[in-house]
């Protein structure tokens, strides 16, 4: 050993505890020449190898940054997913609705405000009120109006409800008339103000007295329209569940068949609170005080969701609710909310996505661990002679390990601290425990990897133990088999258990087993290839394969660590890519089933103009389309029950069969519905029926349509449903269009259009508006599978899982590439010596590069092929236990399928990346290493 380290070691005492000091002379004097103090160990080592120091710090920085960032990214993703999930439900479902009977005779607005203050105060500290603020007041149920001339569809008179809404004046603007003022005299009409939109719809006008039918007391109630207002912002949260104040609402009677009628609400002043009880007479509860308290969902956190759910449950039906009943002196105070149900759904979604989201970070952690082991092995090879010299000159093994630990601490700790700080700043989140724990684990690994390796190198030599490796491999195999068996037996961990560690660890254990098995097989397989190449004329392939089949630098076999690193990266990447691809495919299929094809135009009552359907069928990207008549209110006579309500589909058999075949629902042979089928004539038409009617005597089936038409059916087959009714179990009858239109001329135009192909929803909507410009905005329903799939995929929980996977995949690929480069650097001295010898024998530089490729590429190819097989095997073994419904946004049956394309893409991509890195390393450093060896001579 030479250099500053050797000089420092020469000055140590035999026990290795410190430098030898100059002793005083026999006469008691000192040496006239002072001895300089020894150079500090850490500074000397860092100055001696600046490049290695910087690379070690960079490796620690990247590893700690990833380990610190991934938990924070997961936390941010789950928080955002929770808030978005609740926000998408609207303020009506994320509010606390409180109701109570009014206090007739002494009801005042101030008393309502006092109750509100107590209700709001009880929300802390479990949750808070949204910035939009509470809404409260008194509402009287609507009563039918007897005024002639008001709009009454189907002859049903409109109904008017009265509401006193606190702070309503700040959200509306008076357009005509005045606000309700002084209390009206007994028997006089109640002064109300209506929205201009509702008044126009109903036909009411300023100054009009609205009169109800006689109530239980035989006296009609009256309300005078004293003003008209307009709403500042109809989309404001203030008007949630109060839409009939803003505009008239079209409702339906509970009769059969239901009949439409208009319902609207008017605002009254505080002076008329006692009159509301008379207006709500005759209904239960008739009139009620209400308070709606919106919960602030923008500050909710996933980790605090159980505590928040407990606080909300207490507010609804627990101790808080009982306390509010006493404090407000309202014994009938009732609190309702959908928040507990939504919290349960959100927690189930998070737990369903947690195992799949944790697989990527787990794969990165596994590959990073292997890389640190490789880096420690490389450093140990380079410094083994130095460490053994220190041990031979009296240094203790513990003392040497402590000095190496201090040496690592100088580079690792600042890099780790900087990486952790960057993660904390760039990814803000209230939770830091997971971040600090992951960063500490990565820091500890970077700090201890080389000192532990040095301790092993300096340990006393032990006798050969050929079974030690076999025992370790058997233990890993047993653990893997147990994990896979357990996951397949019980499925994923139940809700409430969090991320399933077995499901997360199983792919990694499979990759580890595959790496150990491949490490056993690779030398034999590559050795056989080397022997086959040796029979040829060239020597480059034989030498490269022979070196790949055996270890370098005196090792008996190739290192298993780079192989395990690549297999971990390929297996986790292939498994994750399969999950993402299956998510996308399932989302597209779910969207097609929801739409009933790739595009749909339907009407909410009425028919489709022929110009619209023709123009839609001519759109670019439409492969096939079908116009159909769909009626759910048709009765089939002749069944076991006498008559059965069925859903009738009338369509062209050929085009409708294409649609059914594409969606895999209701498939049939269109020849069955051909016009003129056996036994059909006149008003008898061929028909396909659903399975629930197949057991009946079908000879007497007759359809009676709403338009008065009658059709006798000749049943020619059975279908399992219809693509126009996804997920529903309708009793279905499918009829061919031509004979039905001939038998029932009054059928009119179709009411539905479905298509297959690539259709742009925006363009389809423009076409519909242009085809019927005078139609109401909500008359037509336009949907496409592409837009529906995009809507399903817009869930932040899904986007967070996808981003986390791609980040994890990039990290795992980077670490796997680094593992290969470390392997090349580790073998570089031995390879350079070989190339130098061969160079003297006439080896050309290009042949040297080919030799390096022949030596290194088998590792990449073996890892790619093995990783692809392991990823496919992991999907086959664990796929049935994986539920993609949460990540897809719709119910998915069948678990995770084995997909070849994503697995091969990941495997071949990483193999190409590794091969490119090997080629670059050979081209850049190969010549320089050979030149160095030729100048220095072979000292081995």
């Amino acid at each position: 050993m030479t250099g500053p380290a050797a000089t420092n070691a020469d000055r140590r005492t035999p026990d290795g505890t410190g430098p030898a000091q100059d002793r005083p002379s026999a006469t008691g004097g000192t040496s006239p020449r002072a001895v300089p103090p020894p150079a500090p160990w850490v500074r000397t080592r860092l100055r001696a190898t600046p490049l290695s120091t910087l690379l070690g710090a960079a490796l620690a920085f990247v590893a700690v940054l990833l380990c610190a960032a991934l938990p924070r990214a997961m936390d941010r993703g789950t928080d955002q997913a929770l808030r978005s999930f609740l926000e998408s439900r609207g303020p009506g479902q994320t509010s606390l609705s409180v109701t109570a009977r009014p206090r007739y005779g002494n009801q005042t607005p101030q008393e309502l405000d006092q109750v509100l203050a107590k209700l709001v105060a009880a929300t802390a500290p479990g949750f808070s009120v949204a910035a939009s603020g509470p809404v409260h007041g008194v509402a009287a149920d609507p009563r039918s109006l007897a005024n002639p001339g008001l709009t009454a569809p189907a002859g049903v008179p409109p109904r008017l409800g009265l509401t006193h809404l606190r702070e309503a004046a700040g959200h509306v603007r008076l357009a005509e008339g005045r606000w309700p003022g002084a209390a009206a005299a007994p028997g006089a009409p109640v002064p109300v103000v209506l929205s201009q939109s509702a008044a126009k719809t109903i036909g009411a006008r300023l100054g009009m007295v609205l009169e109800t039918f006689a109530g239980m007391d035989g006296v009609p109630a009256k309300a005078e329209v004293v003003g008209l207002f307009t709403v500042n912002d109809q989309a404001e949260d203030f008007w949630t569940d109060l839409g009939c104040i803003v505009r008239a609402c079209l409702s339906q009677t509970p009769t059969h068949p239901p009949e439409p009628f208009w319902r609207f609400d008017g605002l009254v002043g505080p002076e008329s609170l006692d009159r509301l009880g008379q207006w709500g007479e005759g209904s239960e509860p008739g009139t009620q005080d209400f308070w709606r308290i919106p919960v602030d969902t923008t500050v909710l956190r996933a980790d605090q969701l159980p505590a928040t759910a407990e606080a909300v449950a207490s507010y609804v039906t627990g101790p808080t609710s009982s306390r509010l009943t006493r404090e407000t002196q309202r014994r009938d105070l009732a609190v309702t909310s959908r928040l507990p149900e939504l919290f349960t759904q959100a927690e189930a979604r998070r737990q369903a996505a947690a195992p799949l989201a944790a697989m990527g970070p787990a794969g990165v952690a596994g590959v990073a661990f292997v890389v640190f082991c490789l880096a420690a092995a490389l450093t140990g090879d380079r410094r083994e002679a130095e460490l053994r010299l220190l041990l031979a000159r009296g240094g203790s093994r513990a003392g040497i390990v402590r000095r190496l630990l201090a040496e690592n601490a100088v580079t690792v700790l600042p890099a780790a601290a900087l990486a952790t700080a960057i993660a904390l700043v760039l990814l803000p989140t209230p939770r830091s425990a997971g971040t600090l724990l992951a960063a500490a684990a990565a820091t500890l690994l970077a700090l201890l990897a080389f000192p532990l390796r040095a301790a092993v190198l300096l340990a006393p030599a032990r006798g050969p133990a050929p079974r030690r490796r076999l025992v370790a491999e058997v233990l890993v195999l047993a653990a893997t088999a147990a994990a896979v068996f357990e996951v397949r037996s019980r499925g994923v961990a139940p809700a409430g258990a969090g991320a399933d560690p077995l499901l997360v660890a199983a792919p990694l254990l499979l990759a580890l087993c595959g790496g150990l098995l491949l490490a056993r097989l690779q030398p034999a397989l590559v050795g056989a290839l080397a022997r086959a190449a040796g029979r040829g004329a060239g020597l480059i392939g034989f030498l490269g394969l022979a070196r790949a089949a055996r270890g370098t630098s005196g090792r008996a076999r190739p290192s298993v660590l780079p192989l395990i690193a690549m297999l971990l990266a390929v297996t986790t990447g292939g498994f994750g890519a399969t999950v993402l691809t299956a998510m996308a495919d399932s989302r597209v299929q779910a969207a097609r089933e929801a739409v009933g094809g790739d595009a749909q135009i339907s009407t909410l009552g009425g028919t489709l103009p022929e110009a619209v359907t023709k123009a839609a069928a001519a759109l670019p990207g439409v492969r096939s389309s079908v116009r159909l008549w769909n009626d759910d209110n048709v009765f089939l006579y002749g069944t076991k029950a006498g008559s059965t309500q069925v859903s009738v589909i009338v369509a062209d058999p050929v085009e409708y069969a294409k649609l059914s075949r594409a969606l895999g629902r209701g498939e049939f042979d269109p020849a069955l519905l051909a016009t003129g089928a056996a036994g059909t004539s006149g008003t008898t038409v061929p028909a396909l029926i659903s399975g629930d009617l197949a057991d009946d005597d079908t000879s007497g089936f007759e359809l009676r349509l709403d338009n008065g038409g009658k059709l006798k059916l000749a049943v020619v087959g059975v279908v399992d449903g219809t693509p126009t009714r996804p997920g529903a179990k309708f009793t279905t009858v499918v009829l061919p269009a031509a004979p039905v239109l001939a038998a029932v001329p009054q059928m009119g135009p179709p009411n539905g259009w479905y298509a297959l192909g690539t259709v742009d929803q925006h363009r389809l909507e423009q076409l519909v508006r242009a085809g019927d410009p005078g139609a109401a905005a909500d008359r037509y329903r336009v949907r496409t599978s592409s837009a529906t799939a995009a809507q399903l995929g817009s869930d932040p929980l899904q986007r967070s899982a996808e981003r986390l996977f791609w980040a994890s995949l990039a990290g795992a690929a980077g670490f796997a590439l680094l593992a290969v480069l470390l392997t090349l650097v580790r073998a570089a001295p031995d390879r350079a010596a070989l190339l130098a010898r061969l160079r003297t024998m006439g080896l050309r530089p290009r042949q040297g590069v080919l030799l390096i490729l022949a030596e290194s590429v088998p590792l990449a190819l073996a890892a790619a092929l093995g990783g692809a097989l392991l990823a496919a095997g992991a999907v086959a073994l664990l796929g049935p236990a994986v539920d993609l419904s949460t990540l897809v946004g719709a119910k998915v049956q069948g678990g995770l399928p084995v997909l070849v394309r994503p697995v091969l893409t990941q495997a071949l991509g990483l193999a190409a990346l590794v091969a490119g890195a090997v080629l670059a390393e050979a081209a850049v450093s190969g010549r320089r290493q050979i030149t160095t060896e030729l100048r220095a001579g072979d000292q081995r």
Side-chain angles (χ1 to χ4, degrees):
M1 180 177 59
T2 60
T7 303
N8 193 31
D10 291 342
R11 296 177 50 82
R12 298 179 61 86
T13 58
D15 62 357
T17 57
Q21 300 295 330
D22 293 315
R23 305 183 189 279
S25 63
T27 60
T30 59
S31 173
R33 184 176 181 181
V35 177
W41 169 278
V42 173
R43 186 182 67 186
T44 302
R45 286 303 314 166
L46 296 183
R47 286 183 175 179
T49 55
L51 182 59
S52 299
T53 301
L54 290 177
L55 291 178
L59 179 60
F61 174 82
V62 173
V64 174
L65 180 62
L66 282 176
C67 290
L70 286 177
R72 300 185 73 79
M74 294 177 68
D75 288 343
R76 288 165 58 88
T78 52
D79 287 347
Q80 183 182 4
L82 169 64
R83 295 163 185 171
S84 177
F85 172 75
L86 296 176
E87 182 181 358
S88 66
R89 286 346 188 230
Q93 297 189 28
T94 58
S95 299
L96 299 168
S97 298
V98 186
T99 58
R101 284 187 175 275
R103 295 184 170 182
Y104 299 115
N106 58 356
Q107 181 86 300
T108 64
Q110 291 73 24
E111 201 262 345
L112 294 174
D113 297 341
Q114 293 172 1
V115 173
L116 175 65
K118 295 176 181 178
L119 294 174
V120 171
T123 60
F127 51 94
S128 58
V129 180
S132 59
V135 180
H136 66 296
V138 185
D141 285 348
R143 295 182 64 176
S144 298
L145 298 178
N147 298 68
L150 298 181
T151 305
V156 180
R159 297 181 182 180
L160 171 64
L162 299 184
T163 302
H164 171 62
L165 194 59
R166 303 289 290 163
E167 301 179 358
H171 302 270
V172 300
R173 180 176 56 86
L174 188 65
E176 299 181 53
R178 61 177 177 84
W179 291 107
V190 179
V192 301
V193 290
L194 304 177
S195 71
Q196 279 188 328
S197 174
K200 181 179 179 180
T201 301
I202 300 302
R205 59 187 181 276
L206 188 66
M208 186 176 186
V209 176
L210 302 174
E211 184 175 344
T212 70
F213 291 98
M216 297 178 62
D217 56 358
V219 179
K222 299 179 181 180
E224 181 183 2
V225 182
V226 299
L228 301 177
F229 65 86
T230 59
V231 178
N232 298 335
D233 182 9
Q234 294 188 14
E236 193 178 7
D237 291 348
F238 182 85
W239 300 109
T240 299
D241 298 332
L242 300 173
C244 295
I245 296 178
V246 175
R247 60 188 178 278
C249 304
L250 187 61
S251 302
Q252 291 184 330
T253 61
T255 60
H256 184 78
E259 297 179 326
F261 69 92
W262 289 107
R263 178 236 166 121
F264 65 109
D265 292 336
L267 295 179
V268 302
E271 302 83 5
S272 302
L273 287 180
D274 291 338
R275 302 284 301 275
L276 294 183
Q278 302 172 5
W279 189 273
E281 180 182 347
S283 60
E284 182 66 34
T287 306
Q288 64 179 6
D289 299 343
F290 68 90
W291 300 265
R292 179 167 57 82
I293 304 173
V295 174
D296 189 1
T297 60
T298 62
V299 297
L300 296 183
R301 290 165 43 181
D303 64 316
Q304 296 180 349
L305 189 59
T308 305
E310 183 179 355
V312 171
S314 175
Y315 198 101
V316 175
T317 57
T320 305
S321 176
S322 301
R323 176 167 57 85
L324 287 173
T325 302
R326 294 191 303 270
E327 291 179 356
T328 59
Q329 298 180 359
R330 300 282 189 114
R331 293 187 176 182
D332 59 342
L333 192 75
V335 184
T336 59
S337 178
R338 285 207 60 201
L339 276 174
E341 178 185 348
L342 294 178
F343 287 163
T344 302
Q345 295 177 8
E347 184 64 15
R349 282 162 39 88
R350 184 191 68 81
Q351 292 168 355
L356 301 179
M359 286 181 182
V364 175
V367 181
F369 178 81
V370 175
V371 168
F372 275 110
C373 292
L374 273 173
L378 173 62
T379 308
D381 290 348
R382 292 296 177 86
R383 297 182 61 179
E384 184 176 2
E386 171 194 344
L387 298 178
R388 292 193 180 280
L389 180 59
L390 289 175
L391 187 64
R393 293 199 172 187
S396 65
R397 187 168 63 145
I400 294 174
V401 170
R402 283 196 300 270
R403 287 182 179 275
L404 295 178
L405 187 61
E407 179 184 328
N408 266 8
V410 173
T411 57
V412 170
L413 293 182
L418 178 61
T420 305
I422 291 176
L424 292 173
V425 173
L426 295 183
L427 297 172
T429 180
R431 300 180 289 281
S432 299
T435 299
L436 297 179
L437 185 61
T443 304
L444 195 61
L445 177 61
L447 195 63
L448 297 179
F450 175 54
L452 292 178
R453 174 63 177 171
V456 173
L457 286 175
L458 299 179
R462 290 183 295 179
R467 296 184 180 179
R468 188 183 306 152
R469 178 181 176 184
L470 180 60
V471 171
E473 291 174 349
V474 170
L475 290 177
V476 172
L477 179 62
T480 304
V484 172
F485 176 78
E486 183 67 16
V487 172
R488 286 185 61 86
S489 298
R490 62 162 173 78
V492 183
D500 190 344
L502 286 181
L503 185 61
V504 174
L508 303 182
L509 290 174
L510 285 171
L512 181 58
C513 281
L516 296 176
L517 178 62
L518 195 56
R520 290 276 188 180
L521 297 178
Q522 182 187 358
L525 296 177
V526 179
L529 291 177
R531 288 190 295 272
R535 300 189 187 99
L539 293 177
I540 301 300
F542 169 72
L543 290 175
L545 292 174
R547 286 177 56 82
R550 62 177 178 84
T552 58
S553 301
R555 286 183 291 271
R557 60 176 65 91
S559 175
V560 71
L561 291 179
L563 189 61
I564 291 178
M566 292 190 62
L567 284 175
L568 284 173
V570 175
T571 303
T572 55
F575 192 91
T578 301
V579 170
L580 293 185
T581 304
M583 283 168 49
D585 294 345
S586 300
R587 196 175 292 137
V588 171
Q589 182 62 25
R592 297 186 78 190
E593 292 177 357
V595 172
D598 292 321
Q600 174 200 129
I601 305 176
S602 57
T603 61
L604 304 178
T607 60
L608 289 176
E610 186 175 358
V612 171
T613 56
K614 285 186 176 180
L619 282 176
V622 175
R623 297 195 306 271
S624 66
S625 64
V626 57
R627 303 188 310 158
L628 54 82
W629 291 256
N630 191 354
D631 193 349
D632 296 332
N633 296 315
V634 179
F635 284 87
L636 176 66
Y637 290 85
T639 63
K640 291 180 180 179
S643 63
T644 303
Q645 186 175 359
V646 297
S647 176
V648 175
I649 307 293
V650 180
D652 177 76
V654 176
E655 298 299 328
Y656 181 72
K658 292 180 182 179
L659 182 69
S660 301
R661 193 180 310 114
L663 269 69
R665 182 175 174 83
E667 300 180 54
F668 66 95
D669 182 2
L672 295 174
L673 294 180
T675 305
T680 62
S681 61
T683 58
T684 302
V685 296
L688 300 172
I689 60 175
S690 54
D692 54 343
L693 296 175
D695 295 336
D696 291 6
D697 181 9
T698 62
S699 59
F701 279 0
E702 182 182 70
L703 280 177
R704 297 182 184 178
L705 307 177
D706 281 347
N707 54 24
K710 296 182 181 181
L711 294 172
K712 294 182 179 180
L713 304 185
V715 177
V716 296
V718 177
V719 292
D720 61 354
T722 170
T724 64
R725 290 290 184 270
K729 295 182 179 179
F730 280 86
T731 299
T732 307
V733 176
V734 180
L735 305 175
V740 171
L741 293 178
V744 187
Q746 63 269 33
M747 283 288 291
N751 58 5
W753 177 85
Y754 294 82
L756 298 174
T758 305
V759 185
D760 180 74
Q761 174 151 345
H762 180 66
R763 188 169 183 177
L764 189 61
E765 290 173 347
Q766 288 181 328
L767 181 148
V768 171
R769 288 194 295 268
D772 192 2
D778 57 351
R779 176 180 176 183
Y780 297 109
R781 185 184 188 187
V782 179
R783 302 177 70 190
T784 62
S785 61
S786 58
T788 304
Q791 183 179 4
L792 290 175
S794 63
D795 189 347
L797 186 66
Q798 303 170 18
R799 295 199 304 268
S800 174
E802 293 179 7
R803 288 194 302 264
L804 188 63
F805 164 74
W806 288 117
S808 301
L809 177 61
F815 278 120
L817 182 62
L818 183 58
V820 174
L821 293 178
L822 287 174
T823 304
L824 294 175
V825 173
R826 189 180 184 187
D830 185 70
R831 184 176 62 241
L834 174 65
L835 292 176
R837 297 189 192 101
L838 295 176
R839 185 72 175 272
T840 61
M841 299 178 187
L843 182 73
R844 293 190 297 271
R846 182 176 298 178
Q847 292 176 319
V849 173
L850 293 177
L851 177 62
I852 297 175
L853 288 176
E855 176 186 345
S856 305
V857 169
L859 171 68
L861 293 179
L865 180 60
L869 293 176
L870 287 172
V875 173
L877 292 173
L878 304 174
V882 177
D883 186 6
L884 296 176
S885 300
T886 300
L887 296 180
V888 170
K891 185 63 178 176
V892 177
Q893 303 289 345
L896 186 64
V898 178
L899 303 176
V900 177
R901 181 175 56 85
V903 173
L904 286 182
T905 301
Q906 301 299 319
L908 296 180
L910 187 58
L913 184 64
V914 170
V918 170
L919 181 61
E921 195 273 342
V924 172
S925 62
R927 294 187 180 185
R928 177 165 47 84
Q929 293 173 350
I930 295 173
T931 303
T932 301
E933 288 290 334
L934 289 175
R935 288 178 179 176
D938 187 8
Q939 300 176 358
R940 295 166 180 80

